[in-house]
Amino acid sequence: EAESNPTQSAPTLPTLPPFSGTIFIDPDIITPADPSTYVALVPAGQDTRVMFDRRAAWITTDPFLFDATYDDGLTIEVQVNPEFGSSAASQVVAEFYAEVIGRLPTALRIEVETVWIHKGIQLFGGGNNNILIHVGQGDSYIADGILEETLMHESVHTSLDAAHATAAR
């Protein structure tokens, strides 16, 4: 019969996480086949906004604006860079991303007030009550099957970091 050793210490926790990034753990955490809480996208014209664009840092521009509504009561203002050329072209891209964002749990969208959408192959971002999207990079995430996981990762920065990023393990 084995005796317990009361002086035995607890196992040492690793100092580094086991993955190089959370978007690469599994491409099927959320899939395009999963339901979305997305309900509708209502055009709201154009108006001046300050947006972050990884190609140029902070910019002041007049994006095409859309109000995305979700069946859990949340609303997000989607701001599409005017480089897309028209309200109609901007609406297509805004609807696509609004529906994908609707696949995220409510808890991960609760602090998302705006979405910035730009052209370009630049990394997505999260924080500042926002999700940053560059559609060229989005195409790469779609091809790799990790678009939803990337948006989930960025929404964690937006909705959970303020309360949990500095918490003890």
Side-chain angles (χ1 to χ4, degrees):
E1 182 174 308
E3 292 182 28
S4 65
N5 182 352
T7 61
Q8 186 176 8
S9 62
T12 304
L13 294 173
T15 57
L16 296 174
F19 302 100
S20 62
T22 59
I23 66 173
F24 307 109
I25 294 171
D26 184 339
D28 294 323
I29 295 171
I30 303 172
T31 72
D34 289 328
S36 177
T37 60
Y38 169 72
V39 173
L41 191 77
V42 177
Q46 280 185 272
D47 201 0
T48 303
R49 297 289 189 271
V50 175
M51 305 167 70
F52 189 77
D53 179 339
R54 287 201 193 275
R55 300 167 298 174
W58 292 98
I59 61 171
T60 300
T61 189
D62 293 325
F64 295 100
L65 305 174
F66 303 91
D67 293 320
T69 58
Y70 298 88
D71 69 12
D72 53 12
L74 297 179
T75 300
I76 297 172
E77 181 181 74
V78 181
Q79 304 170 7
V80 182
N81 191 310
E83 68 189 333
F84 285 85
S86 69
S87 180
S90 296
Q91 186 164 348
V92 169
V93 71
E95 284 179 333
F96 173 80
Y97 281 101
E99 182 171 352
V100 177
I101 290 167
R103 291 188 192 111
L104 303 176
T106 300
L108 296 184
R109 290 180 290 108
I110 197 83
E111 297 297 328
V112 178
E113 296 173 2
T114 58
V115 172
W116 297 322
I117 300 178
H118 306 284
K119 290 185 176 183
I121 303 173
Q122 303 292 328
L123 296 177
F124 282 25
N128 300 311
N129 300 101
N130 177 271
I131 295 174
L132 167 67
I133 295 169
H134 283 273
V135 299
Q137 186 67 40
D139 291 343
S140 176
Y141 292 145
I142 292 166
D144 291 342
I146 59 170
L147 177 63
E148 293 83 2
E149 288 72 22
T150 303
L151 289 167
M152 181 172 62
H153 172 99
E154 301 307 345
S155 69
V156 166
H157 288 304
T158 301
S159 293
L160 301 180
D161 271 3
H164 301 286
T166 59
R169 291 207 263 172

